[in-house]
Amino acid sequence: MSLKSIRNQINALRRKFAFPLAILRLRRISEEYCHHWHTALTNNKPVPEPHPFILKIAKEVLPLNTFMSLHHYLNRHRDQKTTPEPRAIAVTLFPNHANSLLFTHLFAGELTPRPQPAPPFGIIPCNRPQRTRAIDPHTRAIVRRLRATYATPAGKNPTPAPPPAASNNPAIAAGQP
């Protein structure tokens, strides 16, 4: 099998699964956007703007000609103060495929979480306490402190601190200067 035939097979698979992958990408993006919209409504904050969301869809999913209907859909939800639905966003963008079996299957169930990128080779994550920075409001200086993450091993009691050494001087022992 030559490299050219392998490349042709890969391109054929990309063409075959382009639309389902676009729908899955749209589902991820729209679920994230609807989650931000819902948290903004519940916290009495302004809801996210639709224009950056539409640009993200055009860049990551497909450039479509139905973005104006999505804009109107999101503005209706903004006026009514309700949360949009990810499936309704997809139906708004792909009205010809609204009743297809593909939408039903791709919007059913939970999506698997996005994989987290692995740390670069040679870097091992550690569980040491990390430094945090806080700004002192009175001096505007950065205060460095360690997070308190002290734990005693199971079954062992910490040893108490030894009592202060007794002094030979009776005045210091009595607490007088």
Side-chain angles (χ1 to χ4, degrees), residues 4-92:
K4 185 175 181 179
S5 64
I6 293 173
R7 172 59 57 197
N8 288 338
Q9 288 178 355
I10 290 173
N11 289 338
L13 287 173
R14 281 186 182 163
R15 286 189 303 271
K16 179 180 179 182
F17 294 114
F19 186 69
L21 287 175
I23 297 297
L24 283 177
R25 283 189 213 112
L26 176 65
R27 179 179 174 187
R28 279 197 196 277
I29 295 169
S30 61
E31 281 181 354
E32 180 181 333
Y33 183 75
C34 291
H35 176 72
H36 289 306
W37 187 295
H38 181 72
T39 54
L41 278 179
T42 55
N43 294 333
N44 292 326
K45 304 251 183 198
V47 293
E49 290 294 322
H51 189 68
F53 171 62
I54 292 172
L55 289 177
K56 186 174 184 179
I57 290 173
K59 180 182 176 188
E60 294 184 21
V61 179
L62 287 173
L64 300 168
N65 58 0
T66 55
F67 286 130
M68 202 61 201
S69 60
L70 175 63
H71 186 75
H72 292 308
Y73 172 76
L74 294 174
N75 281 338
R76 275 195 309 267
H77 279 281
R78 180 188 304 274
D79 294 339
Q80 297 170 359
K81 297 189 184 208
T82 57
T83 305
E85 294 293 324
R87 181 176 162 82
I89 289 174
V91 168
T92 305

Side-chain angles (χ1 to χ4, degrees), residues 105-174:
H105 287 298
L106 293 179
F107 276 91
E110 293 290 320
L111 284 176
T112 57
R114 289 185 180 179
Q116 297 296 325
F121 183 74
I123 297 177
I124 301 171
C126 62
N127 294 330
R128 292 185 312 210
Q130 297 187 5
R131 289 185 175 258
T132 59
R133 292 183 177 189
I135 297 177
D136 186 9
H138 301 292
T139 62
R140 296 289 219 181
I142 296 177
V143 180
R144 292 189 174 130
R145 61 178 182 244
L146 287 175
R147 293 183 190 155
T149 56
Y150 303 108
T152 58
K156 293 187 177 184
N157 293 332
T159 57
S167 175
N168 292 340
N169 188 347
I172 294 177

